Amino acid sequence: MILKATEAALGVGEIMNLKGELYNLAKEGYVSQDKIKEALILGWEEAVLHFLDDGNLDAQEEKLVKYGEYFGLRVTLLKEKRKYLQMWEYWLLLQSIYISMVL
């Protein structure tokens, strides 16, 4: 489930059908439905780590912002679940880039 979510956050997989796919995977694997939101967040975290490792902030990273907004992952929720302070700082950087693009 986390792999599917990571792929979607990276822009490799589909965001539109992700929740349905995760629901089906959870059902097939007898996994609690509450784990879907957790998988969405962990997938986002894995994508952040990928983008931090490549050291290149470009248009691809904007997908993280879109992913977070699409699934309603609020900053407070991500902050609660984050493993690394670096991810939180990265999220803020992406938010500022996104806001500057909108304005």
Side-chain angles (χ1 to χ4, degrees):
M1 287 173 50
I2 296 169
L3 178 61
K4 284 269 188 206
T6 303
E7 289 172 349
L10 290 170
V12 177
E14 279 292 318
I15 289 180
M16 300 292 246
N17 302 325
L18 182 60
K19 264 195 176 174
E21 289 179 38
L22 294 181
Y23 174 81
N24 289 335
L25 287 171
K27 188 176 176 180
E28 290 170 13
Y30 302 102
V31 174
S32 170
Q33 297 299 308
D34 347 342
K35 296 293 182 183
I36 293 174
K37 187 76 160 188
E38 186 176 333
L40 291 170
I41 293 169
L42 291 173
W44 183 86
E45 289 177 352
E46 289 296 319
V48 168
L49 288 175
H50 170 81
F51 289 131
L52 287 173
D53 285 344
D54 79 9
N56 184 18
L57 181 63
D58 61 15
Q60 296 302 312
E61 281 81 354
E62 293 169 26
K63 293 177 181 180
L64 290 171
V65 174
K66 292 178 184 173
Y67 177 95
E69 289 176 348
Y70 185 84
F71 292 111
L73 303 179
R74 300 288 172 244
V75 171
T76 52
L77 178 60
L78 293 170
K79 185 178 178 185
E80 221 174 81
K81 298 293 284 181
R82 78 186 192 282
K83 294 179 184 176
Y84 306 100
L85 178 59
Q86 198 173 24
M87 282 189 271
W88 172 244
E89 293 167 351
Y90 195 68
W91 173 256
L92 292 175
L93 175 62
L94 288 172
Q95 287 293 350
S96 66
I97 291 169
Y98 180 75
I99 288 169
S100 68
M101 291 176 62
V102 171
L103 300 176

